[in-house]
Amino acid sequence: MTRSNRSLNRFLLLVTGLAALALAAALALPWTPWRSAVRYPYLTGDATALWLVAAAAVVVVVLCAAWIASRGRGRTRAALETGDTEIDAAVVASLLRARLGANPDVAAVSASAYRRRRARIVLVQVQTRPAPDLGLLTDDVHAAVAGLHRDLGAAVPVVVHLTSGLRGALSAPRVAH
Amino acid sequence: MNDLAPGERRALRRAARRLQHRSRSAAVSVALAIVALAALYVAVEAVLAALGRPPLAVAPGDLWRGIASPPAEAQPWLIAGAVVAAALGLTAIVLAVAPGSLHRRPLADDERAVIVVDDAVLAGGLSRAAGAVVGVGRGQATTAVTHRGAHVTLRPSSGFRVDERAAEDAATGVVARVAPSPAPRVRVTTTRTGALS
């Protein structure tokens, strides 16, 4: 949901993975029968070469640190900005929570806002009780969002995530009683 | 006021897609952290060598000579280094190409909101529909949802028969009503051993 570019993430993983494999090959090659296939270039140990290597390594460190530090951007508190009013994502959450209160299968409602490419959307997490009545639940969710738009006077883009328990999907089994 | 702009609708569809797969953000951070540590070490050793000071562990010149033309007997560090690098590299490549599905799917598009549902929630909903129609209790219907299918297992109380067809119709009805995509094909089986209740 954040601004991270997912294709770029996978590309970086691919590149670092290949580089690591190349390093492993370089380390192991002298021990294999293909030793004569590759000639290792002669590196002098003079000062200029060493400073260059150090400078390049520092650049790599800075780039990596910059990337790691840029994770998680894109989340914003304001779900809606009209003119001079800002509406907080928490307000959206409580409005939806009130409208979904009648549904027995809704355990919790929370909301957060994200800004991506100049569009603001609200991600609503609805935690459901086990074995919900899906037809009723989806109808109620759609009605709640329609009511939300009437309350706010604006059509806020909303993504509703119906989840069963822990936020991560790591431990969520795809089997339910 | 009631409709979303086309740009917002696109953003919603994109958001729904992003909810269904891992971003690999964490993996990239770990990979880059490892690269940064290695680069930092190389920088320190290079600077020490350039200043003529003694190295931390091994001077770059000696290290390169050690790699390019190693001594006769096996060097454990080199072997260990190669193994570690290969393992990390393979892991990174696998993570790069694996889909990283989070087992969620979107439901039918509404004008204003997109609903994305965990497969576990979908499974629970199907269990409830199937179980309710044949009259088994809550703990007696289990559903396992895969990408294109849903397998409902009914465990009726001992001595009772269940109408598998009715259960299948009920579950398929739920699928039709909420319209997940992809829509799983429902299959219902009954266990041979019943529950005592």
Side-chain angles (χ1 to χ4, degrees), chain B residues 50-72:
Chain B
L51 293 177
R53 299 287 179 81
L56 269 184
V58 59
D62 298 335
L63 179 64
W64 192 250
R65 267 191 297 276
I67 293 175
S69 43

Side-chain angles (χ1 to χ4, degrees), chain B residues 3-194:
Chain B
D3 283 334
L4 295 177
E8 291 175 325
R9 246 191 285 267
R10 266 198 306 275
L12 272 191
R13 272 201 295 275
R14 246 184 282 124
R17 254 202 317 275
R18 286 165 71 90
L19 270 179
Q20 297 171 52
H21 297 279
R22 297 186 186 280
S23 68
R24 300 294 189 212
S25 254
V28 170
S29 297
V30 168
L32 291 185
I34 295 177
V35 167
L37 281 175
L40 191 60
Y41 170 74
V42 166
V44 165
E45 287 289 17
V47 166
L48 284 176
L51 293 177
R53 299 287 179 81
L56 269 184
V58 59
D62 298 335
L63 179 64
W64 192 250
R65 267 191 297 276
I67 293 175
S69 43
E73 71 265 12
Q75 291 276 32
W77 291 113
L78 283 183
I79 313 278
V83 167
V84 167
L88 290 177
L90 280 176
T91 310
I93 292 178
V94 164
L95 287 178
V97 297
S101 162
L102 285 170
H103 304 299
R104 301 171 183 164
R105 61 191 75 195
L107 301 182
D109 224 40
D110 181 64
E111 277 307 305
R112 296 178 203 89
V114 172
I115 303 185
V116 172
V117 66
D118 281 0
D119 276 2
V121 173
L122 181 60
L126 295 181
S127 297
R128 176 170 176 152
V133 127
V134 298
V136 300
R138 273 294 178 89
Q140 294 175 272
T142 318
T143 307
V145 170
T146 62
H147 188 60
R148 288 193 181 279
H151 181 191
V152 181
T153 309
L154 298 171
R155 199 164 76 102
S157 311
S158 292
F160 288 84
R161 293 257 192 80
V162 292
D163 184 352
E164 284 184 2
R165 192 55 196 276
E168 190 178 305
D169 288 344
T172 308
V174 170
V175 169
R177 183 166 169 192
V178 298
S181 98
R185 240 194 91 224
V186 176
R187 191 165 69 94
V188 175
T189 58
T190 316
T191 60
R192 250 177 267 142
T193 55

Side-chain angles (χ1 to χ4, degrees), chain A residues 106-170:
Chain A
V106 170
V109 177
S110 64
S112 47
Y114 292 87
R115 186 193 338 188
R116 224 182 107 81
R117 299 192 198 167
R118 296 204 296 127
R120 240 181 250 265
I121 62 169
V122 179
L123 167 64
V124 177
Q125 303 263 354
V126 172
Q127 199 161 310
T128 67
R129 298 200 199 281
D133 182 338
L134 277 180
L136 178 65
L137 181 55
T138 51
D139 287 347
D140 283 353
V141 165
H142 284 310
V145 171
L148 172 79
H149 290 166
R150 276 195 302 273
D151 290 344
L152 294 181
V156 189
V158 172
V159 182
V160 180
H161 176 202
L162 301 180
T163 180
S164 60
L166 308 173
R167 258 202 79 160
L170 279 172

Side-chain angles (χ1 to χ4, degrees), chain A residues 13-54:
Chain A
L13 278 177
L14 194 61
V15 164
T16 50
L18 290 173
L21 283 185
L23 175 64
L27 287 177
L29 211 49
W31 304 100
T32 64
W34 302 284
R35 165 77 182 90
S36 47
V38 177
R39 284 185 341 121
Y40 287 73
Y42 178 67
L43 282 194
T44 61
D46 71 313
T48 8
L50 285 171
W51 283 117
L52 276 177
V53 166

